[in-house]
């Protein structure tokens, strides 16, 4: 019969084995053919020679998204749709197409939305800048009309930049409008519809917004673990949008909150489904 020392050793081995098994289960199954890594997903996507349009490329989020798209070289054709033509000095931007439209008469510019596989909408303004009516017109009416034209033009995957807390039942106009446009774009039934709800966007705007400057400073003094729950750098947001785009999905609609945006934006290897 084994002595006490032998029994203790056996118990220790069993405990270690149980801990290793638990860790392996938490980590999930090993990477295999069914879970290709991010570089492979990007290459597969690139081989499909797809086209993309960006609404709101003059804003901070759209500007960084465009830069990331060009650096990753994911699309055969990149088109900016906006109210004015943007000027770029870098060589990387030389093949970017630009469609100048009048958002008050968007139906006259349906051709600008034709033939794009993927669309990113980073369009938006603020109540302080445009007034309540102007804010609603831009963030709801312009966005919705653009989505309708994109759908009619053949867009399969529509990506909408929204906001944390978006809710059509909210008492706050900003969150109410964001929630309403989320729902109404969803009614268009794109093959794939991705909604991004970041917290405070951390960026260095050329446009002066003192309130946002104070908020960014505030988050800069907070612990990373807390700040990351309520804010996100625009560079992380842009990478998250593209990482999400290249990963296969069987969901017709998906909502990505601030944490999901952080996780996706920092991913370099295997993406979670």
């Amino acid at each position: 019969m084994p002595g006490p020392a032998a029994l203790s050793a056996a118990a220790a081995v069993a405990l270690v084995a149980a801990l290793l098994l638990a860790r392996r289960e938490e980590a999930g199954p090993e990477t295999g053919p069914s879970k290709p890594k991010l570089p492979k997903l990007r290459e597969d996507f690139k081989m499909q020679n797809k086209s993309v349009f960006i609404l709101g490329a003059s804003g901070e989020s759209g500007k960084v998204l465009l830069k990331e798209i060009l650096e990753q070289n994911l699309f055969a054709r990149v088109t900016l749709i906006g109210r004015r033509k943007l000027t770029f000095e870098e060589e990387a931007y030389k093949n970017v197409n630009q469609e100048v439209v009048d958002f008050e008469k968007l139906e006259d510019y349906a051709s600008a939305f034709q033939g794009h596989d993927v669309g990113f909408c980073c369009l938006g303004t603020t109540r302080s800048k445009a007034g309540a009516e102007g804010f609603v017109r831009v963030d709801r009416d312009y966005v919705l009309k653009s989505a309708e034209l994109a759908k009619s033009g053949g867009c399969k995957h529509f990506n909408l930049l929204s906001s944390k807390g978006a809710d059509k039942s909210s008492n706050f106009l900003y969150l109410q409008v964001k929630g309403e446009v989320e729902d109404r774009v969803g009614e268009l039934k794109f093959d794939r519809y991705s909604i991004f709800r970041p917290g405070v966007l951390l960026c260095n705007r050329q446009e002066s917004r003192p309130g946002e400057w104070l908020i960014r400073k505030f988050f800069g003094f907070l612990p990373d673990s807390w700040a990351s729950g309520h804010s996100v750098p625009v560079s992380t947001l842009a990478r998250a949008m593209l990482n999400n785009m290249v990963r296969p999905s069987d969901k017709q609609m998906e909502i990505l909150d601030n944490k999901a945006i952080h996780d996706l934006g920092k991913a370099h290897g295997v993406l979670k489904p």
Side-chain angles (χ1 to χ4, degrees):
M1 184 174 183
L7 290 174
S8 297
V13 170
L15 177 60
V16 170
L19 289 173
L20 289 174
L21 180 60
R23 284 187 179 182
R24 187 172 181 179
E25 289 176 349
E26 288 177 2
E30 293 182 0
T31 303
S34 61
K35 287 191 176 182
K37 291 188 176 181
L38 184 52
K40 178 65 165 57
L41 290 173
R42 287 175 178 158
E43 285 302 316
D44 290 346
F45 186 91
K46 191 185 304 184
M47 293 296 291
Q48 298 175 54
N49 293 318
K50 292 189 176 185
S51 61
V52 63
F53 72 81
I54 303 175
L55 284 159
S58 61
E60 295 303 320
S61 299
K63 188 186 305 178
V64 176
L65 175 63
L66 172 60
K67 183 175 183 292
E68 194 70 29
I69 283 176
L70 296 177
E71 286 181 354
Q72 294 189 26
N73 193 27
L74 292 169
F75 293 94
R77 184 162 65 101
V78 178
T79 299
L80 310 183
I81 302 175
R83 61 184 177 84
R84 61 186 173 87
K85 189 171 183 178
L86 305 180
T87 301
F88 302 106
E89 297 180 357
E90 295 89 341
E91 184 71 11
Y93 293 81
K94 68 177 183 179
N95 292 324
V96 172
N97 304 302
Q98 297 200 52
E99 295 282 353
V100 178
V101 302
D102 182 349
F103 282 99
E104 293 293 334
K105 302 176 182 178
L106 264 184
E107 63 276 2
D108 295 340
Y109 299 88
S111 60
F113 295 86
Q114 290 285 333
H116 303 290
D117 303 289
V118 180
F120 287 96
C121 182
C122 302
L123 201 61
T125 186
T126 62
R127 184 171 180 172
S128 60
K129 182 179 179 180
E133 290 185 7
F135 165 71
V136 173
R137 189 163 65 251
V138 173
D139 283 57
R140 185 193 66 192
D141 300 344
Y142 290 180
V143 170
L144 181 58
K145 188 60 180 178
S146 297
E148 290 173 352
L149 292 173
K151 172 70 175 180
S152 299
C155 179
K156 304 298 183 185
H157 185 186
F158 192 81
N159 298 267
L160 177 65
L161 177 57
S162 185
S163 171
K164 181 176 182 177
D167 183 354
K168 65 181 180 181
S169 301
S170 175
N171 292 323
F172 294 97
L173 179 65
Y174 181 83
L175 299 178
Q176 180 189 107
V177 168
K178 293 295 185 183
E180 182 183 352
V181 78
E182 283 183 3
D183 285 358
R184 293 181 66 178
V185 171
E187 292 172 0
L188 298 175
K189 301 297 182 184
F190 284 93
D191 289 4
R192 186 177 179 188
Y193 174 37
S194 304
I195 301 169
F196 295 84
R197 291 181 178 174
V200 175
L201 292 173
L202 304 179
C203 59
N204 295 315
R205 291 186 186 272
Q206 293 179 350
E207 174 189 358
S208 177
R209 294 185 183 178
E212 287 190 3
W213 182 86
L214 288 172
I215 291 173
R216 291 196 299 271
K217 287 294 183 184
F218 170 72
F219 280 109
F221 288 109
L222 295 175
D224 289 344
S225 58
W226 199 92
S228 63
H230 301 275
S231 64
V232 61
V234 290
S235 56
T236 302
L237 169 65
R239 286 192 293 271
M241 286 177 143
L242 298 181
N243 287 349
N244 181 67
M245 178 193 69
V246 300
R247 67 174 177 172
S249 175
D250 56 2
K251 297 178 181 178
Q252 188 271 326
M253 186 183 83
E254 54 194 351
I255 297 175
L256 296 101
D257 61 15
N258 204 69
K259 182 182 183 306
I261 291 170
H262 268 280
D263 292 344
L264 270 171
K266 295 175 181 177
H268 298 288
V270 177
L271 298 178
K272 295 179 181 179

